[in-house]
């Protein structure tokens, strides 16, 4: 359930939080001061690799009527699309490479190989998601307005389909991202009445979204298949398969960073008067990492370092590994959680939450350590307060706000409407 008081949950004083923020600021300044040729060389080499993979995949698909060529083409094209979306497009549109002043890789000019319009994604993701990370009612990425991923979302019979919805969302994730900016829930609720400014704005955004989706469909399922002549239909299916592989992978990476145990949810009260230090703390508590080697980090667009990405979304992704060492040290210094796990483990936990929360709360025991969608539901279960370190005399461990506010939160969520992302 959502944390109602971040500072209380994290056991830190206001001075502690601001000191933590100052240390994060110092990390930012150090990386910004050291950006240079090695970083520029890295992203340019990644772009060359991605283009080589895509050209190779497109070339192999001229013989896609042969099963080995079809499989090779799908593998090459899937890899190219994953790299373009995750390590290049996502990070470029965050402005990670704007310091290079290169129009080819600038956030204002990059349009990715995806059904969603870049300008729409930059609003829903860069602004709403990263500013209001995991804040119920503010962050559209909490369940994408479709999935129930926290008990703070009131259960409805619709939620029984949680597993099916997520399977469909995975396969066609790029289209889910493409329509997210339209806020179709508001349309269904009658918020966009004909003749109103809100309706005009919705129609403008809908036209932009349909234009981008149309271009993507034309490219992947008409133009490129047509170029392969007699291999048209086999190339079309190969392109569809490659898109689905990319969609499932990107969905898995994103869900592993936000929905497994330990990735906390927050209430709107948390961001009232939020300082920069408090923002840093919320990003740290609301994200989860994926452990692994260099290949895992690269193929996730370095979003395996989701904590570091949320702390510093506009710093070069190739720096996240070295930043992670410092962030983990700060987590130990301030006795804060640093949530991480292997891809299979984090993916399992995300799916467990999705499956579990398809059911009403009455099927989940009303105890602090039951249905631990996030760490806050099981930390210090039954504990009257923080633990005092006998050596230092300082408070240790996480103190959950649920200890004093669980009943209030339960009553509130039973009588308030379901959250729609």
């Amino acid at each position: 359930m959502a944390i109602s008081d971040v500072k209380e949950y994290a056991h830190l004083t206001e001075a502690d939080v601001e000191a933590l923020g100052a240390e994060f600021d110092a990390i930012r300044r150090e990386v910004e001061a050291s950006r240079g040729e090695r970083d520029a060389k890295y992203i340019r080499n990644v772009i060359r690799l991605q283009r080589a993979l895509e050209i190779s995949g497109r070339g192999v698909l001229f013989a896609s009527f042969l099963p080995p060529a079809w499989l090779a083409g799908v593998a090459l094209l899937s890899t190219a699309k994953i790299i373009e979306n995750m390590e290049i497009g996502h990070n470029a549109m965050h402005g990670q490479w704007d310091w290079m002043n290169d129009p080819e890789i600038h956030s204002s000019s990059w349009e990715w190989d995806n059904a969603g319009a870049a300008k729409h994604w930059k609003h829903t993701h860069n602004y709403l998601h990263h500013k209001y990370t995991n804040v119920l009612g503010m962050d559209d990425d909490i369940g994408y307005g479709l999935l129930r991923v926290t008990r703070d979302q009131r259960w409805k019979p619709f939620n029984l389909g949680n597993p099916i919805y997520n399977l469909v969302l995975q396969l066609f994730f790029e289209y889910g991202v493409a329509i997210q900016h339209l806020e179709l829930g508001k349309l269904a609720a009658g918020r966009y009445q004909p003749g109103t400014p809100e309706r005009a704005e919705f129609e403008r955004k809908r036209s932009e979204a349909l234009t981008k989706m149309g271009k993507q469909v034309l490219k992947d399922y008409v133009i490129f298949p047509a170029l392969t002549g007699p291999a048209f239909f086999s190339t079309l299916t190969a392109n569809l398969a490659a898109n689905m592989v990319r969609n499932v992978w990107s969905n898995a990476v994103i869900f592993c960073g936000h929905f497994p145990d330990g990735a906390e949810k927050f209430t709107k009260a948390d961001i009232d008067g939020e300082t920069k230090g408090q923002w840093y703390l919320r990003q740290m508590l609301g994200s989860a990492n994926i452990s692994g080697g260099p290949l895992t980090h690269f193929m996730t667009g370095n979003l395996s370092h989701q904590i570091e990405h949320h702390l510093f979304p506009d710093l070069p992704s190739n720096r996240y590994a070295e930043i992670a060492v410092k962030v983990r040290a700060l987590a130990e210094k301030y006795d804060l959680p640093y949530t991480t796990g292997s891809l299979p483990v984090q993916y399992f936990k995300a799916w467990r939450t999705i499956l579990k929360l398809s059911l009403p709360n009455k099927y989940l025991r009303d105890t602090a350590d039951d249905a631990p969608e996030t760490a806050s539901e099981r930390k210090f279960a039954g504990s009257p307060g923080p633990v005092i370190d006998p050596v230092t005399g300082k408070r240790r461990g996480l103190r959950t706000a649920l200890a004093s506010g669980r009943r209030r939160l339960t009553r509130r969520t039973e009588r308030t409407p379901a959250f729609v992302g």
Side-chain angles (χ1 to χ4, degrees):
M1 296 176 70
I3 297 170
S4 60
D5 189 327
V6 176
K7 288 185 296 181
E8 180 185 9
Y9 172 78
H11 71 271
L12 301 179
T13 65
E14 290 186 6
D16 290 335
V17 173
E18 296 315 304
L20 176 64
E23 299 212 51
F24 282 136
D25 281 340
I27 293 174
R28 167 179 285 281
R29 289 193 299 270
E30 181 180 347
V31 175
E32 287 177 336
S34 62
R35 288 179 305 198
E37 184 56 32
R38 73 179 177 104
D39 305 294
K41 183 178 179 181
Y42 169 80
I43 191 59
R44 287 175 179 140
N45 284 339
V46 171
I47 292 173
R48 291 189 190 100
L49 171 64
Q50 187 275 330
R51 289 176 178 170
L53 289 168
E54 181 169 3
I55 291 170
S56 299
R58 300 288 185 194
V60 170
L61 289 178
F62 275 87
S64 59
F65 48 83
L66 300 172
W70 189 92
L71 288 171
V74 169
L76 289 166
L77 198 54
S78 299
T79 305
K81 284 177 173 286
I82 287 170
I83 294 172
E84 194 283 330
N85 277 192
M86 305 297 286
E87 181 66 337
I88 304 175
H90 172 274
N91 296 333
M93 290 188 292
H94 265 297
Q96 293 185 8
W97 309 102
D98 285 1
W99 59 273
M100 293 168 56
N101 294 316
D102 184 343
E104 182 183 20
I105 194 66
H106 200 276
S107 61
S108 63
S109 58
W110 191 273
E111 184 62 66
W112 58 354
D113 179 22
N114 193 292
K119 63 182 294 186
H120 290 179
W121 181 87
K122 283 187 282 189
H123 177 76
T124 58
H125 185 82
N126 288 12
Y127 176 67
L128 291 177
H129 173 58
H130 274 269
K131 182 174 182 179
Y132 303 113
T133 304
N134 286 8
V135 177
L136 296 164
M138 302 292 288
D139 182 2
D140 289 343
D141 282 15
I142 299 179
Y144 290 86
L146 183 67
L147 304 172
R148 185 176 186 240
V149 294
T150 171
R151 284 188 284 176
D152 291 279
Q153 295 168 279
R154 183 174 149 191
W155 184 87
K156 298 182 294 183
F158 176 81
N159 299 125
L160 289 169
N162 245 24
I164 297 173
Y165 307 148
N166 195 43
L167 282 173
V168 174
L169 182 63
Q170 283 188 324
L171 292 173
F172 301 99
F173 192 54
E174 62 178 315
Y175 294 98
V177 172
I179 65 174
Q180 185 182 11
H181 189 62
L182 302 181
E183 298 180 296
L184 295 179
K186 293 182 179 179
L187 177 67
R191 300 269 295 275
Y192 300 138
Q193 293 298 314
T196 63
E198 291 79 12
R199 180 64 177 227
E201 175 68 8
F202 167 76
E203 292 177 351
R204 181 188 65 80
K205 293 190 293 187
R206 181 183 62 186
S207 176
E208 292 173 344
L210 290 174
T211 297
K212 179 62 195 299
M213 283 189 277
K215 289 180 179 179
Q216 197 71 19
V217 168
L218 184 66
K219 175 178 75 70
D220 279 339
Y221 306 125
V222 179
I223 295 176
F224 278 118
L227 290 174
T228 61
F232 177 91
F233 289 107
S234 55
T235 299
L236 186 153
T237 59
N239 286 350
L240 177 63
N243 280 329
M244 286 187 170
V245 170
R246 181 270 317 275
N247 290 343
V248 170
W249 177 256
S250 56
N251 174 277
V253 170
I254 291 169
F255 276 40
C256 285
H258 296 94
F259 298 144
D261 299 6
E264 305 296 350
K265 310 299 184 293
F266 308 95
T267 66
K268 292 181 181 180
D270 283 317
I271 61 174
D272 290 341
E274 186 178 63
T275 66
K276 191 173 183 181
Q278 291 166 355
W279 180 86
Y280 276 131
L281 177 60
R282 180 163 55 82
Q283 302 306 314
M284 193 171 184
L285 295 176
S287 305
N289 279 9
I290 301 170
S291 58
L295 182 60
T296 297
H297 298 320
F298 177 70
M299 291 303 294
T300 62
N302 278 289
L303 294 181
S304 50
H305 301 294
Q306 189 70 234
I307 295 171
E308 288 70 30
H309 173 62
H310 267 269
L311 291 169
F312 310 107
D314 58 348
L315 291 184
S317 58
N318 63 307
R319 295 297 196 92
Y320 285 154
E322 62 188 65
I323 292 173
V325 176
K326 299 174 182 178
V327 173
R328 186 186 285 269
L330 287 177
E332 293 179 0
K333 177 179 178 180
Y334 288 88
D335 194 24
L336 292 170
Y338 188 89
T339 305
T340 188
S342 68
L343 180 61
V345 168
Q346 299 294 65
Y347 192 52
F348 165 78
K349 288 180 178 179
W351 261 105
R352 182 180 64 182
T353 293
I354 291 167
L355 290 168
K356 192 164 49 185
L357 293 179
S358 65
L359 300 175
N361 288 349
K362 66 182 179 181
Y363 293 108
L364 305 175
R365 289 179 301 157
D366 189 22
T367 60
D369 61 346
D370 184 61
E373 293 88 43
T374 58
S376 63
E377 299 202 17
R378 60 188 175 194
K379 290 279 192 285
F380 291 89
S383 173
V387 175
I388 306 299
D389 189 312
V391 177
T392 65
K394 295 182 178 180
R395 291 189 293 179
R396 299 280 299 172
L398 298 177
R399 180 184 180 187
T400 173
L402 294 176
S404 60
R406 178 155 46 86
R407 293 182 181 177
R408 174 178 56 79
L409 285 168
T410 301
R411 289 197 298 271
R412 184 193 66 199
T413 54
E414 286 177 348
R415 66 172 181 262
T416 54
F419 167 73
V420 178

